[in-house]
Amino acid sequence: MIKGRYDDENLKWIPVLIIAVYLFPFLLKSATFSYKYYLYIFNIAGVYIILTVGLDILSGFTGLMSLGHAAFLAIGAYTSAILVDQIGLPFELSLIITPIIVGICGFVIGFPALRIEGMYLGLTTMGFGFIVKRLIIAFREWTGGAGGLHVSKATFFGYTIRNDWDNYFMIYTFAILAIIIARRIVKSKLGRAFMAIRDSEQAAQASGINLAKYKMMSFFISGMFAGFAGVLFAHTNHFISTDHFDILLSIFFIVMVLVGGVGSIYGAVLGTLFIVLMENMFIPLFEDGMSQFVHLEAGEFQVFIFGLIMLLFIIFQPQGLYGMWLKMRIYWKIFPFNPKKRFT
Amino acid sequence: MSDLQIQNLHMHFSGVRALDDVSFEVNEGEIFSLIGPNGSGKSTLFNCINGFCKPQQGSMIYNNINLKTIKPHEIVKEGISRTFQNLQNVPYMTLLENVLLGAHRRLTIQDTINRWFSQKEREREEALALEIMDFLGIANFEKKYLSGQPYGIQKLVEIARALICKPKLILMDEPAAGMNDQETLEIAKIISEIRDVLGITVLVVEHDMKLVMSISDQICVLDSGKILAMGKPDEVKNDPDVIKVFLGDEAHA
Amino acid sequence: MKKMTVMISILLLFIACGKQAPTPGVTDTEILIGNIQDLSGPMKELGAVLPAGSNLYFQYINEQGGVHGRQIKMIVEDHQYNPQKAVVAAKKLIEKDQVFCLYHVIGTSTCEAIRPILAETKTPLIAPATQSGTMSDLSRTAGDLIFHTDTGYDKQTNILIDYILNNDSNAKIGLIYQDDDYGENVLKGAGEAESRHSISVQKEAFQRGATDFTGQVGNLIKGSATHVIIAGVVKEPIIVMKTASAMGFSPQFFGTSPTMDHRVALAAGPAGEGFIAANFADLWNSDASEAVHYRELCDKYEVPEAYMGMYHFYGYITAKVLVEGLERAGKNPTRNRLINGMETLKKWDSGAFPPITYNSNDHAGTESVILVQIKDGVQTVITDWID
Ligand SMILES: Nc1ncnc2c1ncn2[C@@H]1O[C@H](COP(=O)(O)OP(=O)(O)OP(=O)(O)O)[C@@H](O)[C@H]1O
Ligand SMILES: [Mg+2]
């Protein structure tokens, strides 16, 4: 009776999918000359997946809005760049230390979350993003200021990760690892506590869950994922600057989680892939196709398509960003009906 | 021996006197019922015991522990768990996970980590929940998501969640509300069994008079935050004040 | 059997991948150039005008028969002033569109971001559209592949301070700078000048987007500055000079090249009278030989009035530098030959930029500016090239 309880997770196709992820570059290489360009886009998506999976734990599962995740990514990227290039730590060590540092930052940012909620928390984390940007500029001896910082290539146990091809395998190995860990987290006591906090703080407390502790924990875990993504970002892009990590990126992360479906790890993965590929590949592709028929100023079409996506969101989410947050909080309560409304 | 002692409890919300000098004792192994018209302060009393509300005056002692100074999430550690009047559970978790939520305190970090790597551990953890769910007759649904399940089942899930942490005292806020007659009978049976089989003291708020009269050892009647009557079911049933309040109530309805 | 054919065809594809065209972006009839601009970000006005200026010159050259018989074709990508997007765009241009070289990519952080890909693919970048002195730093990644045409901010600041001290050896110099990469580059120049002249410059920072400068101006009054250099863009010199005049403070104001904008003269009014800005190229409406030619071509190709101006001219004149490099790369251009060709430029007169010199130790191109003063509300060139 107990056996096969995890059938619903459909574990069987996961190994197939993982093999497909590793075979993909070879397929791509045989299909197109410009495989490196496409790989790079997938690499961006891979790094972002690690981050959005963590963001989903915070915003999707725990119901705590964050508009500061670009800043967490920035802290991760800069910390690792400084640890490896200036202090001389090995890359492998930075992969462990940096996420912990960023996790601690998340922990600290989590303090306001104990008192404020929703959009206000969003605004607070957004403010945090601006502060981080200014701090990076202020510590210019370490960070190179606003001019940015060139970062060394990753060396992994003596093997240098040289190009997009190598990057792909490193990034996706870690992304798969991140997804597995995230799944484990949300399917454990921790994940249950997070969801209980999201859906009913009372039930959570009555079950013995310390709200403060677990909210902070959620921020810590989310920060760790972002920090991990930051390390990979820095050492695969080889250049970081404050212009990378603006508020728009934070909003995009939220959109990725939202598009994929809040509160589902696989949703975050799909949403991230969708948005990154859309932005960098499909829209330019459409653009090229369209320009044969109508004259478009370059850039116009992208604005149009993103406008359209946003419009669709606004139609289904008329309250915009606030609605996005609301949606996160009540999504599960109205799906497929709202028990509260029906029974009280 | 008295288990839970409430003395001179006062709780008011900016002018509204939800509880006004409430005192009673619940003995170990009792089924103690709280009844009273809407807004008489029954849920507020639970919230006080539970730590959600901080009473302005009075004392609440449970097994020599002062409940007033304990944080809401620590109450369960002292052996008190509860269910809610409005469903308070997580729609997008399976029934099993919702029940396991209640085992939060029982599962250590070590358990959690073991569970990551070992199928056996996972099964052991689930066996905990399944035992309780079996007891309540909902074990067959364990893999279903809670969202979309019938109301009756969701109510039982909440009871299961309150039971899995092995409490010594359970607070049940209107367990039979919104249920049909047959389900109400079921609930009556379950409440008796919780006491008889699991040996848990029960403090229950309920509107269904038939149910209350049939299972209670003691009944306390609240009206506008004040205790109107207290005693065995027969005594309370024949109390003129109680009849007045309840008949008046029914006449209105 | 079927399996075999599939295997073999896949194998063939792999082999096909191994072979690359000898020189990307060059066919018998065409040379493909990649450009990355901000088409939909904060600087999108420039994004339209700069490539239009370049294309004006390419059109002229193509009509003359192109470079060694090859027509120049330019693909413009968008980076929205975001370094990540700049890398995506650069990879697309280099890996997918297979351009011969990159040209006129705008922005400092965006150009910095694409250094690794330039180095990896050995793709030259001609005339990045930024005045950051870091562009000609040969010690940086891909430094050998980047040919800078504009005089860097650090150099400009040096020249301005020299100019001030030449005219008034007792000058007390103040500096208002933007607290970002632009300002950092200006500070570097100021630092160099300070140690050369053993003076100290009073430095006042402002945040990008600031609109209130009373604090900075107040500090400069306290420090009794006689000459003030404003390292801002367009809005900042206007506000600073108006604030100063309202506070009864009238030093001689100077500005770095982004302040050399006719809007400063228009909006600052009497407060801006006498303002001196450095510029790294001749004015589009001046008598410089290429400026005259530019206006003729504008007439000929009916360029819209709205496009004509310093930015359009900037695109135009950098295109001339690129074309000169392509000419010198010879009949069978490769990326290496382009680099070698560029490095043969010696005091080459473009007709609008200061004389340009490149060699393997110097990719800065120019190190001089002209000074442009607002006289009776009109921008007037007051010096020759100075350095
Ligand atoms: N958090 C609160 N803030 C303000 N007033 C409250 C609060 N909680 C309860 N009250 C008030 O206290 C009184 C008692 O409410 P309570 O919910 O305890 O009633 P109840 O006996 O549980 O009623 P019901 O049978 O409807 O559940 C009501 O007048 C209610 O409005
Ligand atoms: Mg109630």
Side-chain angles (χ1 to χ4, degrees), chain B residues 156-201:
Chain B
L156 288 176
V157 166
E158 246 197 286
I159 296 175
R161 191 184 67 215
L163 287 177
I164 197 176
C165 53
K166 298 239 158 106
K168 287 192 288 266
L169 168 67
I170 183 170
L171 317 178
M172 300 171 90
D173 202 343
E174 307 203 8
M179 302 227 170
N180 60 30
D181 287 353
Q182 218 230 307
E183 286 170 330
T184 308
L185 275 178
E186 192 105 346
I187 292 282
K189 198 174 130 240
I190 285 170
I191 295 175
S192 308
E193 280 182 2
I194 288 175
R195 195 259 314 259
D196 299 340
V197 179
L198 303 177
I200 298 170
T201 312

Side-chain angles (χ1 to χ4, degrees), chain A residues 44-45 47-49 51-52 55 66-75 77 126 129-130 133 226 229-230 233 237 240-257 272 275-276 279-280 310, chain C residues 80 82-85:
Chain A
I44 297 176
V47 171
Y48 287 176
I49 281 172
L51 183 134
T52 50
L55 176 62
S66 168
L67 283 176
H69 261 62
F72 288 130
L73 186 71
I75 299 175
M126 191 167 114
F130 293 127
K133 222 166 160 172
F233 185 93
N237 262 287
I240 48 177
S241 88
T242 48
D243 288 347
H244 277 111
F245 311 105
D246 56 4
I247 170 71
L248 211 66
L249 190 61
S250 290
I251 293 173
F252 261 60
F253 288 146
I254 288 282
V255 172
M256 288 170 190
V257 170
T272 309
I275 294 288
V276 173
E279 183 184 2
N280 292 303
M310 290 297 159
Chain C
Q80 301 176 357
N82 178 320
Q84 172 102 66
K85 291 216 168 77

Side-chain angles (χ1 to χ4, degrees), chain A residues 6-258:
Chain A
Y6 282 78
D7 279 357
D8 62 318
E9 289 182 25
N10 241 335
L11 288 170
K12 280 191 209 86
W13 54 265
I14 287 179
V16 180
L17 209 68
I18 291 177
I19 292 170
V21 167
Y22 284 111
L23 283 182
F24 177 72
F26 296 96
L27 220 75
L28 199 65
K29 189 175 178 182
S30 63
T32 165
F33 274 121
S34 32
Y35 67 96
K36 279 189 193 158
Y37 159 64
Y38 294 111
L39 273 186
Y40 179 69
I41 291 172
F42 276 94
N43 289 350
I44 297 176
V47 171
Y48 287 176
I49 281 172
I50 297 173
L51 183 134
T52 50
V53 155
L55 176 62
D56 201 16
I57 290 177
L58 181 70
S59 295
F61 283 88
T62 323
L64 299 170
M65 177 85 154
S66 168
L67 283 176
H69 261 62
F72 288 130
L73 186 71
I75 299 175
Y78 274 97
T79 306
S80 184
I82 292 168
L83 285 180
V84 174
D85 293 348
Q86 290 167 38
I87 296 178
L89 283 186
F91 174 73
E92 300 89 329
L93 211 58
S94 166
L95 264 178
I96 297 166
I97 295 177
T98 306
I100 293 174
I101 292 175
V102 182
I104 292 169
C105 291
F107 188 80
V108 173
I109 299 315
F111 272 109
L114 305 182
R115 302 223 152 261
I116 50 177
E117 278 198 0
M119 255 339 252
Y120 298 102
L121 183 59
L123 288 176
T124 311
T125 47
M126 191 167 114
F128 162 72
F130 293 127
I131 293 170
V132 166
K133 222 166 160 172
R134 292 252 56 98
L135 282 178
I136 289 172
I137 292 175
F139 288 102
R140 39 173 72 85
E141 290 99 84
W142 293 93
T143 62
L149 193 60
H150 285 274
V151 188
S152 66
K153 288 177 173 140
T155 43
F156 217 61
F157 300 110
Y159 182 76
T160 306
I161 312 289
R162 270 167 303 136
N163 47 31
D164 291 328
W165 182 268
D166 295 356
N167 284 341
Y168 179 90
F169 289 99
M170 175 172 75
I171 288 171
Y172 275 89
T173 303
F174 285 126
I176 289 169
L177 213 67
I179 294 167
I180 291 173
I181 292 174
R183 289 275 301 170
R184 283 278 185 255
I185 288 173
V186 301
K187 286 278 163 194
S188 74
K189 163 183 162 167
L190 264 178
R192 290 194 296 264
F194 292 157
M195 283 190 261
I197 290 173
R198 177 190 71 199
D199 288 344
S200 166
E201 293 199 347
Q202 287 199 340
Q205 283 178 300
S207 303
I209 292 161
N210 184 345
L211 294 185
K213 185 174 147 193
Y214 279 85
K215 282 182 181 177
M216 306 285 274
M217 192 111 88
S218 187
F219 263 102
F220 179 78
I221 290 172
S222 195
M224 276 191 66
F225 276 89
F228 205 87
V231 178
L232 295 180
F233 185 93
H235 294 273
T236 57
N237 262 287
H238 311 307
F239 175 75
I240 48 177
S241 88
T242 48
D243 288 347
H244 277 111
F245 311 105
D246 56 4
I247 170 71
L248 211 66
L249 190 61
S250 290
I251 293 173
F252 261 60
F253 288 146
I254 288 282
V255 172
M256 288 170 190
V257 170
L258 202 77

Side-chain angles (χ1 to χ4, degrees), chain B:
Chain B
M1 186 208 137
S2 86
D3 213 21
L4 175 68
Q5 294 179 317
I6 308 285
Q7 259 162 27
N8 308 100
L9 210 61
H10 287 263
M11 176 81 227
H12 35 89
F13 300 103
S14 53
V16 180
R17 282 181 178 274
L19 292 174
D20 194 357
D21 200 19
V22 172
S23 310
F24 63 86
E25 291 184 5
V26 180
N27 296 318
E28 201 176 324
E30 251 182 3
I31 296 181
F32 190 103
S33 296
L34 271 173
I35 59 173
N38 291 108
S40 56
K42 305 178 298 289
S43 297
T44 305
L45 183 60
F46 273 21
N47 286 342
C48 288
I49 298 174
N50 206 227
F52 290 154
C53 297
K54 294 284 163 219
Q56 281 86 2
Q57 264 180 56
S59 72
M60 302 177 292
I61 311 287
Y62 177 73
N63 277 344
N64 301 324
I65 291 153
N66 183 2
L67 295 181
K68 267 177 93 172
T69 56
I70 288 185
K71 294 201 183 92
H73 64 266
E74 287 170 337
I75 294 286
V76 68
K77 203 169 63 189
E78 305 303 335
I80 303 177
S81 70
R82 74 171 283 186
T83 69
F84 295 88
Q85 184 173 359
N86 307 329
L87 281 179
Q88 295 286 337
N89 40 38
V90 186
Y92 207 72
M93 283 200 312
T94 62
L95 264 62
L96 187 81
E97 288 172 316
N98 263 288
V99 175
L100 278 173
L101 179 62
H104 185 84
R105 282 260 164 196
R106 282 179 61 183
L107 298 169
T108 60
I109 289 288
Q110 190 61 44
D111 289 338
T112 311
I113 293 170
N114 287 345
R115 187 186 181 281
W116 279 20
F117 299 107
S118 146
Q119 176 80 20
K120 254 217 184 85
E121 281 292 327
R122 242 171 280 174
E123 285 166 5
R124 209 167 64 87
E125 177 183 308
E126 281 152 22
L128 277 175
L130 282 171
E131 203 182 307
I132 301 288
M133 290 169 79
D134 213 24
F135 177 75
L136 296 174
I138 49 172
N140 303 340
F141 302 96
E142 93 275 4
K143 272 190 310 190
K144 294 232 166 72
Y145 282 104
L146 193 78
S147 162
Q149 293 296 323
Y151 185 67
I153 299 228
Q154 299 206 28
K155 274 266 173 191
L156 288 176
V157 166
E158 246 197 286
I159 296 175
R161 191 184 67 215
L163 287 177
I164 197 176
C165 53
K166 298 239 158 106
K168 287 192 288 266
L169 168 67
I170 183 170
L171 317 178
M172 300 171 90
D173 202 343
E174 307 203 8
M179 302 227 170
N180 60 30
D181 287 353
Q182 218 230 307
E183 286 170 330
T184 308
L185 275 178
E186 192 105 346
I187 292 282
K189 198 174 130 240
I190 285 170
I191 295 175
S192 308
E193 280 182 2
I194 288 175
R195 195 259 314 259
D196 299 340
V197 179
L198 303 177
I200 298 170
T201 312
V202 179
L203 177 54
V204 59
V205 166
E206 193 42 73
H207 276 296
D208 190 305
M209 277 317 205
K210 237 170 52 205
L211 180 133
V212 170
M213 293 304 164
S214 65
I215 59 167
S216 306
D217 296 319
Q218 281 226 67
I219 297 175
C220 171
V221 187
L222 276 180
D223 184 26
S224 313
K226 288 196 185 67
I227 293 187
L228 201 63
M230 188 149 55
K232 300 236 175 321
D234 292 337
E235 297 166 26
V236 171
K237 211 188 306 190
N238 299 323
D239 189 302
D241 284 344
V242 176
I243 291 170
K244 204 174 114 198
V245 167
F246 274 83
L247 282 184
D249 206 44
E250 258 156 46
H252 274 289

